[in-house]
Amino acid sequence: MCADRLAAVETGPGPAAQARARSAAPPEPRLRGHLPALDGVRGLAILAVLLLHFVANTTPTNRLEEIASRTLSYGVLGVDLFFVLSGFLITGILYDARYDPSYFKNFYMRRVLRIFPLYYAVLVLVFLVVPRLPFLEGSQLATLREHQAWGWLYGINVYIWTQGGWPNNYIQHFWSLAVEEHFYFVWPLVVWLLASRPRALLVTCLAVAGMSVAGRVVASLLGAAPVPISVLTPFQLDALCLGGFFAVLARQPGGAAKLKAAILPMAAGAAGVLVLTFVFNRFTDFGFVVLRPLRGAMLRVLLATILLHALMAAPTSLVSRFFRSNTMIFLGKYSYGLYVYHHFLSFYLVRHGTEFALARAVGSHTLAIALQAGAGIAASIAIAWLSYEAFEKRFLQLKSIFSPASARPGRKAAING
């Protein structure tokens, strides 16, 4: 009898007991394949950016408009959310494909097919077609040709740095596309080298994120202007690598469940530090050069918890239903085109103060802003939809040729990228 008990201890629970334990444990969230919640997160990010450029960038004329402008100016965090999401998605894709013999070719070709056709088609229109149109001769849109090399080489963020501030033109928003492209160029090699050692990859993600935040602090202390710190790739890697860290951790045994349990503590901790930065800033001006980068880092942690919560929330919860709603998924599906196209409209409207002319017609500046923003967003959605369905989709259909080997035998390679 003692021998039987000893054998049971050495061999562990039998198959039946293991099955009961597995059935009793809550299922881990699915974080691979096509995840509708990721489209919803994209939808939230692009909605924030749209409201920033169509509403917050207009000129407020009363208290209500000032409150709306100040609140919606936080729509700039939509770009940070895109970065966190991209880091999570891309790192997850790379980590899952780490044993694929065509690892590099498949990744880069799928990125090329997703990003390049739209991006370079727009550049062809802006730099080569617009300057030849007589009715646009001499316009600011036509003069962009003078700086076209920065666009062709994905260097708009570097161009902004050379100007020492926002150049105030139609393609300044391409800076974030440049940051992501720089990340896509280097990160696959990092993941490939470290994927067999997940702990080393996790440490690398955190180390790079930490160095990015530290770099912003040092640059601020040295007197760097806020705009260069906001657009140069090394200073944006914390958002991308934070998303990458969570993607790798979620793929470790029990990692998704641990992340789900840590969402609330992470959010509370980041929010607490964020509040302290605002409190401390009331007592010193010097501290702001350090507090600004730290504040940005905490905001990105909060955005990461939003992403994780969207992915892991119970299907019946309000959060899950919001991010999986048809509206948010629709916005997320067309978010790339929306981001590329919308600024051409919003920049023109804001630069020419068209809401004032509209206000004279409708008798209310507040109503004019609402009408203009609604029309601008609707037009952006229409253009993005047409672009995707008539142009981009043709290239996206070719992505199946470069699917990971594990996804080819009759299985749909369903990924959000």
Side-chain angles (χ1 to χ4, degrees):
M1 184 174 181
C2 292
D4 291 341
R5 289 182 179 175
L6 180 60
V9 171
E10 290 177 345
T11 59
Q18 291 178 4
R20 286 194 298 271
R22 285 194 297 270
S23 63
E28 288 205 350
R30 186 177 68 87
L31 298 178
R32 292 179 174 85
H34 182 268
L35 304 171
L38 277 186
D39 286 328
V41 174
R42 280 197 190 96
L44 176 62
I46 192 60
L47 181 60
V49 172
L50 290 172
L51 293 174
L52 166 69
H53 288 149
F54 280 107
V55 179
N57 284 357
T58 57
T59 304
T61 61
N62 56 54
R63 183 60 177 168
L64 177 61
E65 292 174 11
E66 288 176 0
I67 293 173
S69 178
R70 185 173 302 177
T71 302
L72 296 178
S73 66
Y74 284 96
V76 68
L77 294 176
V79 176
D80 291 328
L81 183 54
F82 273 127
F83 286 160
V84 174
L85 189 152
S86 291
F88 182 89
L89 175 63
I90 295 304
T91 305
I93 291 173
L94 292 169
Y95 189 81
D96 291 341
R98 60 194 181 278
Y99 300 122
D100 192 330
S102 300
Y103 171 90
F104 289 102
K105 182 185 75 174
N106 286 343
F107 175 78
Y108 285 120
M109 286 305 302
R110 289 175 69 85
R111 287 294 91 196
V112 164
L113 290 169
R114 180 67 190 101
I115 297 170
F116 280 17
L118 173 58
Y119 180 82
Y120 283 110
V122 170
L123 293 190
V124 167
L125 290 174
V126 171
F127 295 144
L128 303 181
V129 176
V130 166
R132 299 178 182 276
L133 300 177
F135 60 91
L136 288 176
E137 186 176 356
S139 68
Q140 187 174 14
L141 189 59
T143 59
L144 289 175
R145 188 177 185 181
E146 301 170 6
H147 310 290
Q148 62 178 300
W150 299 103
W152 295 117
L153 299 175
Y154 271 99
I156 293 298
N157 61 333
V158 181
Y159 170 69
I160 293 173
W161 170 65
T162 65
Q163 301 301 299
W166 295 109
N168 203 30
N169 63 41
Y170 284 93
I171 59 172
Q172 63 185 22
H173 63 305
F174 281 11
W175 74 268
S176 66
L177 303 181
V179 169
E180 293 206 13
E181 196 63 24
H182 301 163
F183 178 72
Y184 296 156
F185 186 73
V186 175
W187 197 240
L189 178 61
V190 175
V191 175
W192 184 75
L193 290 173
L194 299 176
S196 61
R197 294 176 292 156
R199 185 180 297 273
L201 181 55
L202 289 169
V203 170
T204 299
C205 288
L206 290 181
V208 174
M211 288 189 290
S212 181
V213 177
R216 294 203 299 271
V217 172
V218 172
S220 294
L221 289 172
L222 294 177
V227 171
I229 297 176
S230 300
V231 299
L232 289 179
T233 301
F235 298 139
Q236 302 304 313
L237 291 177
D238 57 318
L240 291 156
C241 289
L242 187 63
F245 172 83
F246 289 132
V248 177
L249 183 58
R251 284 164 169 77
Q252 306 312 304
K258 293 176 182 177
L259 274 179
K260 186 175 182 179
I263 290 174
L264 184 57
M266 282 193 298
V273 174
L274 192 62
V275 170
L276 288 176
T277 65
F278 283 99
V279 172
F280 187 75
N281 190 54
R282 294 183 63 87
F283 299 99
T284 175
D285 293 330
F286 172 77
F288 191 61
V289 297
V290 175
L291 294 177
R292 185 201 299 268
L294 181 60
R295 187 177 297 170
M298 292 303 101
L299 286 168
R300 289 171 176 186
V301 172
L302 286 174
L303 293 173
T305 61
I306 291 174
L307 169 64
L308 293 173
H309 192 37
L311 289 172
M312 299 182 180
T316 56
S317 67
L318 288 176
V319 169
S320 182
R321 282 185 287 177
F322 171 76
F323 284 107
R324 296 168 189 262
S325 65
N326 292 335
T327 299
M328 300 310 293
I329 290 176
F330 176 88
L331 290 173
K333 179 178 179 179
Y334 300 105
S335 59
Y336 179 41
L338 273 170
Y339 187 82
V340 169
Y341 292 119
H342 86 279
H343 194 256
F344 290 94
L345 299 177
S346 65
F347 180 80
Y348 177 88
L349 295 174
V350 171
R351 182 170 182 265
H352 292 86
T354 54
E355 80 266 16
F356 292 103
L358 184 57
R360 288 192 292 271
V362 300
S364 168
H365 187 259
T366 302
L367 178 59
I369 291 177
L371 291 174
Q372 178 174 284
I377 291 173
S380 300
I381 290 174
I383 296 170
W385 177 85
L386 181 61
S387 173
Y388 183 93
E389 298 296 336
F391 177 64
E392 298 167 59
K393 187 185 286 187
R394 305 294 181 265
F395 297 92
L396 296 178
Q397 290 169 348
L398 301 176
K399 289 174 66 176
S400 60
I401 301 173
F402 305 99
S403 298
S406 60
R408 289 177 192 157
R411 287 168 39 189
K412 182 181 179 182
I415 55 177
N416 295 69

